[in-house]
Amino acid sequence: MARIVMKFGGTSVADLDRIRNVAQRVKAEADKGNEVAVVVSAMSGATNQLVDWCQKLSPLFDAREYDAVVATGEQVTAGLTAIALQNLGADARSWMGWQIAVETDGQHGKARISSIEADELIERMKQGQIPVVAGFQGIGPDNRVTTLGRGGSDTSAVALAAALKADRCDIYTDVDGVYTTDPRIVPKARKLSKITYEEMLELASVGAKVLQTRSVELAMKEHVRVQVLSSFSDAPGTMVVDEDEVVEQEIVAGIAYSRDEAKVTVRRVPDRPGVAAAIFVPLAEAHINVDMIVQNVSADGTTDMTFTVGKTDLPRATAVLEQARQQIGYAEISTDPNVAKISVVGVGMRSHAGVAGTMFRTLAERGINIQVISTSEIKVSVLVAAEYTELAVRALHTAYELDA
Amino acid sequence: MARIVMKFGGTSVADLDRIRNVAQRVKAEADKGNEVAVVVSAMSGATNQLVDWCQKLSPLFDAREYDAVVATGEQVTAGLTAIALQNLGADARSWMGWQIAVETDGQHGKARISSIEADELIERMKQGQIPVVAGFQGIGPDNRVTTLGRGGSDTSAVALAAALKADRCDIYTDVDGVYTTDPRIVPKARKLSKITYEEMLELASVGAKVLQTRSVELAMKEHVRVQVLSSFSDAPGTMVVDEDEVVEQEIVAGIAYSRDEAKVTVRRVPDRPGVAAAIFVPLAEAHINVDMIVQNVSADGTTDMTFTVGKTDLPRATAVLEQARQQIGYAEISTDPNVAKISVVGVGMRSHAGVAGTMFRTLAERGINIQVISTSEIKVSVLVAAEYTELAVRALHTAYELDA
């Protein structure tokens, strides 16, 4: 007997038939003698509709009211899923964030969970009741509804699993696991049976949109075993686990890509101490995340600074830099949204040299020019022209012997 | 300066444009220096969609889950209306039933409000904030969301007005007031500038679907001055007030009709004590409301008993009576759904004789046969064949000199 949290995303509860399917899966786990808690997202499309209404009424909407409106999506699904479970003869009830309570820091629209009062849920689960928890939502210190930001239901599920001391947190989604790369680009991509939290974090943050980054961070911190699997098939999924649970470690776990970033080059910046701060502090103050950064070697006392920002932040980033032109003292700014970031990820890199070399050689053989390079302990990322995305991903997938 | 509760029904908040219109009306009242609280229904159609989902998942859905699902409709509108008000520069915030709190008896799906904690709202209103309250919802003793039953937002508004000691409760709807009868049948129907609670109750319960009956009862009990008016025009509405506020009292305030009832006749019932109980106790136990009742004079030791039930209850009513045939000992049951109840309503009847006589004579002159008669202090109702509905209403409207 195990204690399991089962989380179902928006496509898994998109209509009544799918909610019935979810109820059957949950009931099946409970019938095996497991204690089960369920976390649900809003029906797919529901959240977008609610967000759209808020934005149309006021571009500068009050985040507290946005939360009150948007949190209804998960409330609806929680109630409907409880009804579907009851219809199968299960003892189930819905829980909203404020009822449990899922306490958050009150940062409306992007709240972080501070604690979950799990005692009553555990007591009821021991008696066979299945709690159906509205994901994505909590309550702030001022007794108002908060939401966790897009994709927050994954975080709700992992936090609940930690609070319940669950044996496993199963994240049901529309893909059946984590692949070595995007199967739409590389048909030979393999499903990984296990992946470490660290690798998953790198894959999630570079574009493999399977799990929300924060949920993986939380799972790693709280040692929650997360499984990613499909609600539409019975295939086993991918377990996201501690590094020591992965016995036969591949050097490279997967190849990720992202076309969500744009390149910014600030040309002929005076090459003196403080100039990086002059560029990046105003961007940070405008809440613009900067990712890859490279500084050219100096020539004539000036240098070029290249970095990437989210594509949607590009207009704001250039505006901020133009406003700070005097302080920075650059000659010109050039931008390029037609770039892709390709990343090779694997904890095995720590103990194996040559991973980056293989990457650069493979891309060079295909004639793909590398514009920016950045590395971490378990990842090498390069920026290339967007048109080479598929070619680069396929070549690297083969080069690291990931093809099925 | 007055303290006003403004309630907007589903058609008044049906889309973003209408919500903007609501915000403008509210802002205008606040700009006059009034303290304003708003109560909103769900966007029209939203509640039906949510109810439909619950019913499709399980015909015997859990009323507690139904409430969790259905209450989201008003939550969405409250948040959106607060955003629309803020966009006009007003200080506004949404309130859900559990936040205020609107305490109810916990009868899920048809809860009754037991108390409203209004102190914080009053404090904020004094500081110029406009509370936007989700109607139709409250919280039960078990900390779960309850709803008040269809049309319950009217009751929410009146209860809030009582708790806030408001000077007025304005119910904005898609009609611009209470008419002497249905203007679709009688184009000469007049809008009443004032009507008493008692008259409004009789009109509401016999088919003039302007205000929920319970909201009028509550307004009468708590002496809340209710105004019915249109959110789509600036015409003055109808004030529902205490009898002593209506100075020039008409004898008859209006003519109402209902085609929602069916006639049941139980033939050749033994005419002995206890037989009425034998018929009506089983119906009451099956939660079937019986309205008009008439017992024929006895012949041969038997009598016929005729009464009306809601049309939707007719199949259940006959089933109940067939099951109780032995105990009642009747010869046969006949039913007729093609009937209409026509009612003449007015507090002036108390002091004026001849109102019923005028009704009977008017109908007789048109050759309309009266099947059942029932009377109260301020109402005379008759049951006629449904095909005569319009003719009867028009003739009575003229007979009581109500034509404009």
Side-chain angles (χ1 to χ4, degrees), chain A residues 96-370:
Chain A
M96 280 153 258
W98 58 270
Q99 288 175 320
I100 292 179
V102 177
E103 307 272 1
T104 72
D105 61 5
Q107 292 278 319
H108 287 278
K110 50 182 179 185
R112 300 185 79 93
I113 295 173
S114 45
S115 72
I116 296 182
E117 290 167 31
D119 289 354
E120 188 173 349
L121 294 192
I122 290 172
E123 195 51 50
R124 287 166 179 257
M125 287 169 76
K126 283 182 177 164
Q127 291 164 22
Q129 194 176 76
I130 301 172
V132 184
V133 176
F136 179 61
Q137 62 175 246
I139 187 167
D142 57 354
N143 212 33
R144 296 187 74 170
V145 172
T146 52
T147 66
L148 311 182
R150 295 309 289 263
S153 290
D154 289 345
T155 306
S156 299
V158 171
L160 184 66
L164 294 172
K165 297 180 177 57
D167 299 289
R168 210 169 71 224
C169 180
D170 288 348
I171 308 278
Y172 286 85
T173 174
D174 49 2
V175 299
D176 63 355
V178 181
Y179 279 72
T180 48
T181 194
D182 185 341
R184 289 170 301 181
I185 290 183
V186 184
K188 288 179 180 172
R190 279 187 295 113
K191 185 164 66 183
L192 297 162
S193 60
K194 285 192 178 177
I195 188 171
T196 68
Y197 297 120
E198 292 88 343
E199 288 166 340
M200 189 67 215
L201 269 181
E202 294 291 1
L203 287 174
S205 64
V206 294
K209 290 155 187 161
V210 177
L211 283 180
Q212 202 209 13
T213 304
R214 268 168 59 199
S215 70
V216 183
E217 288 170 353
L218 187 62
M220 180 161 68
K221 176 166 162 274
E222 301 281 349
H223 302 284
V224 174
R225 289 166 57 87
V226 172
Q227 183 176 200
V228 176
L229 64 178
S230 166
S231 57
F232 305 117
S233 84
D234 290 318
T238 300
M239 290 293 307
V240 189
V241 294
D242 271 327
E243 197 168 337
D244 52 19
E245 276 199 59
V246 183
V247 184
E248 287 189 61
Q249 185 59 56
E250 308 262 6
I251 299 169
V252 168
I255 316 292
Y257 68 95
S258 164
R259 285 184 277 223
D260 297 336
E261 293 180 30
K263 185 175 72 165
V264 180
T265 303
V266 185
R267 295 195 191 281
R268 298 187 57 79
V269 184
D271 190 10
R272 54 172 166 72
V275 73
I279 292 173
F280 295 112
V281 167
L283 290 170
E285 282 171 352
H287 300 286
I288 295 167
N289 276 328
V290 172
D291 183 19
M292 308 172 89
I293 301 178
V294 64
Q295 182 176 351
N296 278 10
V297 288
S298 184
D300 309 335
T302 69
T303 182
D304 294 347
M305 197 78 88
T306 300
F307 54 89
T308 62
V309 297
K311 255 179 203 165
T312 53
D313 284 336
L314 185 57
R316 284 201 304 132
T318 53
V320 165
L321 292 172
E322 271 157 21
Q323 208 162 19
R325 181 165 196 156
Q326 287 267 301
Q327 298 96 295
I328 307 172
Y330 58 83
E332 65 164 344
I333 300 171
S334 65
T335 62
D336 183 1
N338 295 313
V339 291
K341 183 168 71 167
I342 314 291
S343 303
V344 173
V345 174
V347 292
M349 286 185 206
R350 291 202 189 107
S351 47
H352 287 77
V355 171
T358 300
M359 185 178 202
F360 304 152
R361 192 180 58 244
T362 304
L363 296 177
E365 283 169 7
R366 299 303 188 290
I368 301 171
N369 186 43
I370 297 173

Side-chain angles (χ1 to χ4, degrees), chain B residues 75-97:
Chain B
Q75 181 171 335
V76 168
T77 333
L80 292 180
T81 305
I83 289 174
L85 275 165
Q86 290 172 351
N87 197 48
L88 299 178
D91 179 15
R93 82 156 266 197
S94 66
W95 292 86
M96 279 153 258

Side-chain angles (χ1 to χ4, degrees), chain B residues 34 42 47 77 86 89 139 154 198 210 232 255 261 295 298 312 324 328 341 351 353 355 374 386 396:
Chain B
N34 296 314
T47 305
T77 333
Q86 290 172 351
I139 187 167
D154 288 345
E198 292 88 342
V210 178
F232 305 116
I255 317 291
E261 293 181 30
Q295 182 176 351
S298 184
T312 54
I328 307 172
K341 184 168 71 167
S351 47
V355 172
S374 79
L396 292 170

Side-chain angles (χ1 to χ4, degrees), chain A residues 72 75-80 82-83 86 93-96 98-99, chain B residues 42 47 50-51 53-55 61-75 96-98 102 104-112 134-150:
Chain A
T72 60
Q75 181 171 335
V76 168
T77 333
L80 293 179
I83 288 174
Q86 290 171 350
R93 81 155 268 197
S94 66
W95 292 86
M96 280 153 258
W98 58 270
Q99 288 175 320
Chain B
T47 305
L50 296 165
V51 171
W53 283 340
C54 292
Q55 285 172 337
F61 54 76
D62 181 344
R64 297 166 298 188
E65 300 302 347
Y66 166 93
D67 278 356
V69 171
V70 172
T72 60
E74 283 73 17
Q75 181 171 335
M96 279 153 258
W98 58 271
V102 177
T104 72
D105 61 4
Q107 293 277 320
H108 286 279
K110 50 181 179 186
R112 299 184 80 93
F136 180 59
Q137 63 176 247
I139 187 167
D142 57 353
N143 212 31
R144 295 187 73 171
V145 172
T146 52
T147 66
L148 310 181
R150 296 309 288 263

Side-chain angles (χ1 to χ4, degrees), chain B residues 171 199 278:
Chain B
I171 308 277
E199 289 165 341

Side-chain angles (χ1 to χ4, degrees), chain B residues 81-401:
Chain B
T81 305
I83 289 174
L85 275 165
Q86 290 172 351
N87 197 48
L88 299 178
D91 179 15
R93 82 156 266 197
S94 66
W95 292 86
M96 279 153 258
W98 58 271
Q99 287 175 320
I100 293 179
V102 177
E103 309 272 0
T104 72
D105 61 4
Q107 293 277 320
H108 286 279
K110 50 181 179 186
R112 299 184 80 93
I113 296 172
S114 45
S115 73
I116 296 181
E117 289 166 31
D119 289 352
E120 188 172 349
L121 294 192
I122 290 172
E123 195 50 50
R124 287 165 180 257
M125 287 168 75
K126 282 181 178 166
Q127 291 164 20
Q129 194 175 75
I130 301 172
V132 184
V133 176
F136 180 59
Q137 63 176 247
I139 187 167
D142 57 353
N143 212 31
R144 295 187 73 171
V145 172
T146 52
T147 66
L148 310 181
R150 296 309 288 263
S153 290
D154 288 345
T155 306
S156 299
V158 172
L160 184 67
L164 294 173
K165 297 181 178 55
D167 298 289
R168 210 168 73 222
C169 180
D170 287 347
I171 308 277
Y172 286 85
T173 175
D174 48 3
V175 299
D176 64 355
V178 181
Y179 279 73
T180 48
T181 193
D182 185 342
R184 288 170 303 182
I185 291 183
V186 183
K188 289 179 180 172
R190 278 189 296 114
K191 186 165 65 181
L192 296 162
S193 60
K194 285 191 178 179
I195 188 171
T196 69
Y197 298 119
E198 292 88 342
E199 289 165 341
M200 190 67 216
L201 269 180
E202 295 291 0
L203 287 174
S205 64
V206 294
K209 289 154 187 162
V210 178
L211 284 180
Q212 201 207 14
T213 304
R214 269 168 58 199
S215 70
V216 182
E217 288 170 353
L218 187 62
M220 180 161 66
K221 177 166 162 275
E222 301 282 351
H223 302 285
V224 175
R225 289 166 58 86
V226 173
Q227 182 176 202
V228 177
L229 64 178
S230 167
S231 56
F232 305 116
S233 83
D234 290 316
T238 300
M239 290 295 307
V240 190
V241 294
D242 272 325
E243 199 169 335
D244 52 18
E245 278 199 57
V246 182
V247 183
E248 287 188 62
Q249 185 59 57
E250 308 264 6
I251 298 168
V252 168
I255 317 291
Y257 67 94
S258 164
R259 285 184 277 223
D260 297 335
E261 293 181 30
K263 185 176 71 164
V264 180
T265 304
V266 185
R267 295 195 190 282
R268 297 186 58 77
V269 185
D271 190 13
R272 54 172 167 70
V275 73
I279 291 172
F280 295 113
V281 168
L283 290 171
E285 282 171 351
H287 300 286
I288 295 167
N289 276 328
V290 173
D291 182 20
M292 309 173 90
I293 301 177
V294 65
Q295 182 176 351
N296 279 10
V297 289
S298 184
D300 311 336
T302 69
T303 184
D304 295 346
M305 196 80 88
T306 300
F307 55 89
T308 62
V309 297
K311 255 180 203 165
T312 54
D313 284 337
L314 185 58
R316 285 200 304 131
T318 55
V320 165
L321 291 172
E322 271 156 21
Q323 208 162 18
R325 179 165 197 153
Q326 287 266 302
Q327 299 96 293
I328 307 172
Y330 58 83
E332 65 164 344
I333 300 172
S334 65
T335 63
D336 182 2
N338 295 313
V339 291
K341 184 168 71 167
I342 314 291
S343 302
V344 173
V345 174
V347 292
M349 286 185 207
R350 293 203 188 105
S351 47
H352 287 78
V355 172
T358 301
M359 183 179 204
F360 304 152
R361 191 181 60 244
T362 303
L363 296 176
E365 283 167 7
R366 300 303 188 288
I368 302 171
N369 187 42
I370 297 173
Q371 304 182 10
V372 182
I373 299 172
S374 79
T375 60
S376 79
E377 217 185 353
I378 66 162
K379 180 182 72 169
V380 183
S381 298
V382 298
L383 203 68
V384 302
E387 58 186 335
Y388 293 115
T389 308
E390 292 83 358
L391 177 63
V393 169
R394 280 188 209 115
L396 292 170
H397 200 266
T398 302
Y400 290 107
E401 298 175 3

